[in-house]
mmCIF file of all heavy atoms in Angstrom:
data_model
loop_
_atom_site.group_PDB
_atom_site.id
_atom_site.type_symbol
_atom_site.label_atom_id
_atom_site.label_comp_id
_atom_site.label_asym_id
_atom_site.label_seq_id
_atom_site.Cartn_x
_atom_site.Cartn_y
_atom_site.Cartn_z
ATOM 1 N N GLY A 55 -12.928 -0.372 11.211
ATOM 2 C CA GLY A 55 -12.577 0.092 12.524
ATOM 3 C C GLY A 55 -13.682 1.077 13.131
ATOM 4 O O GLY A 55 -14.024 0.933 14.314
ATOM 5 N N GLU A 56 -14.202 1.902 12.348
ATOM 6 C CA GLU A 56 -15.294 2.744 12.756
ATOM 7 C C GLU A 56 -16.567 1.978 13.149
ATOM 8 O O GLU A 56 -17.233 2.274 14.102
ATOM 9 C CB GLU A 56 -15.641 3.792 11.661
ATOM 10 C CG GLU A 56 -14.638 4.875 11.491
ATOM 11 C CD GLU A 56 -14.813 5.716 10.206
ATOM 12 O OE1 GLU A 56 -15.973 5.538 9.598
ATOM 13 O OE2 GLU A 56 -14.014 6.546 9.943
ATOM 14 N N GLU A 57 -16.851 0.920 12.380
ATOM 15 C CA GLU A 57 -18.049 0.111 12.622
ATOM 16 C C GLU A 57 -17.817 -0.627 14.013
ATOM 17 O O GLU A 57 -18.686 -0.718 14.842
ATOM 18 C CB GLU A 57 -18.245 -0.886 11.486
ATOM 19 C CG GLU A 57 -18.765 -0.323 10.228
ATOM 20 C CD GLU A 57 -18.783 -1.343 9.119
ATOM 21 O OE1 GLU A 57 -18.529 -2.554 9.409
ATOM 22 O OE2 GLU A 57 -19.242 -0.862 8.078
ATOM 23 N N LEU A 58 -16.635 -1.116 14.243
ATOM 24 C CA LEU A 58 -16.350 -1.896 15.449
ATOM 25 C C LEU A 58 -16.341 -1.006 16.669
ATOM 26 O O LEU A 58 -16.922 -1.294 17.660
ATOM 27 C CB LEU A 58 -14.892 -2.509 15.430
ATOM 28 C CG LEU A 58 -14.819 -3.779 14.491
ATOM 29 C CD1 LEU A 58 -13.354 -4.177 14.450
ATOM 30 C CD2 LEU A 58 -15.729 -4.837 15.074
ATOM 31 N N ALA A 59 -15.848 0.264 16.463
ATOM 32 C CA ALA A 59 -15.940 1.327 17.560
ATOM 33 C C ALA A 59 -17.417 1.613 17.894
ATOM 34 O O ALA A 59 -17.813 1.778 19.125
ATOM 35 C CB ALA A 59 -15.134 2.500 17.155
ATOM 36 N N ALA A 60 -18.216 1.802 16.911
ATOM 37 C CA ALA A 60 -19.658 2.070 17.059
ATOM 38 C C ALA A 60 -20.314 0.908 17.787
ATOM 39 O O ALA A 60 -21.158 1.150 18.641
ATOM 40 C CB ALA A 60 -20.254 2.382 15.726
ATOM 41 N N MET A 61 -19.994 -0.319 17.462
ATOM 42 C CA MET A 61 -20.555 -1.492 17.989
ATOM 43 C C MET A 61 -20.178 -1.548 19.479
ATOM 44 O O MET A 61 -21.029 -1.753 20.392
ATOM 45 C CB MET A 61 -20.153 -2.753 17.359
ATOM 46 C CG MET A 61 -20.903 -2.945 15.950
ATOM 47 S SD MET A 61 -20.266 -4.371 14.991
ATOM 48 C CE MET A 61 -20.182 -5.653 16.205
ATOM 49 N N GLY A 62 -18.872 -1.320 19.785
ATOM 50 C CA GLY A 62 -18.379 -1.338 21.113
ATOM 51 C C GLY A 62 -19.031 -0.221 22.043
ATOM 52 O O GLY A 62 -19.382 -0.480 23.073
ATOM 53 N N THR A 63 -19.186 0.892 21.413
ATOM 54 C CA THR A 63 -19.758 2.012 22.184
ATOM 55 C C THR A 63 -21.273 1.676 22.502
ATOM 56 O O THR A 63 -21.745 1.936 23.675
ATOM 57 C CB THR A 63 -19.728 3.344 21.335
ATOM 58 O OG1 THR A 63 -18.339 3.609 21.082
ATOM 59 C CG2 THR A 63 -20.274 4.457 22.112
ATOM 60 N N SER A 64 -22.023 1.142 21.532
ATOM 61 C CA SER A 64 -23.402 0.827 21.860
ATOM 62 C C SER A 64 -23.531 -0.289 22.840
ATOM 63 O O SER A 64 -24.389 -0.239 23.717
ATOM 64 C CB SER A 64 -24.080 0.502 20.511
ATOM 65 O OG SER A 64 -23.686 -0.711 19.954
ATOM 66 N N TYR A 65 -22.553 -1.222 22.817
ATOM 67 C CA TYR A 65 -22.673 -2.316 23.750
ATOM 68 C C TYR A 65 -22.382 -1.776 25.191
ATOM 69 O O TYR A 65 -23.002 -2.217 26.131
ATOM 70 C CB TYR A 65 -21.585 -3.433 23.427
ATOM 71 C CG TYR A 65 -21.667 -4.643 24.454
ATOM 72 C CD1 TYR A 65 -22.475 -5.657 24.128
ATOM 73 C CD2 TYR A 65 -20.814 -4.659 25.504
ATOM 74 C CE1 TYR A 65 -22.652 -6.684 25.012
ATOM 75 C CE2 TYR A 65 -20.912 -5.711 26.311
ATOM 76 C CZ TYR A 65 -21.840 -6.758 26.095
ATOM 77 O OH TYR A 65 -21.908 -7.811 26.931
ATOM 78 N N MET A 66 -21.367 -0.828 25.318
ATOM 79 C CA MET A 66 -20.985 -0.273 26.605
ATOM 80 C C MET A 66 -22.208 0.517 27.137
ATOM 81 O O MET A 66 -22.449 0.472 28.335
ATOM 82 C CB MET A 66 -19.773 0.602 26.535
ATOM 83 C CG MET A 66 -18.471 -0.205 26.297
ATOM 84 S SD MET A 66 -17.068 0.870 26.399
ATOM 85 C CE MET A 66 -16.849 1.164 24.742
#
Side-chain angles (χ1 to χ4, degrees):
E56 290 172 3
E57 290 175 3
L58 288 174
M61 288 173 45
T63 301
S64 67
Y65 184 83
M66 287 186 267

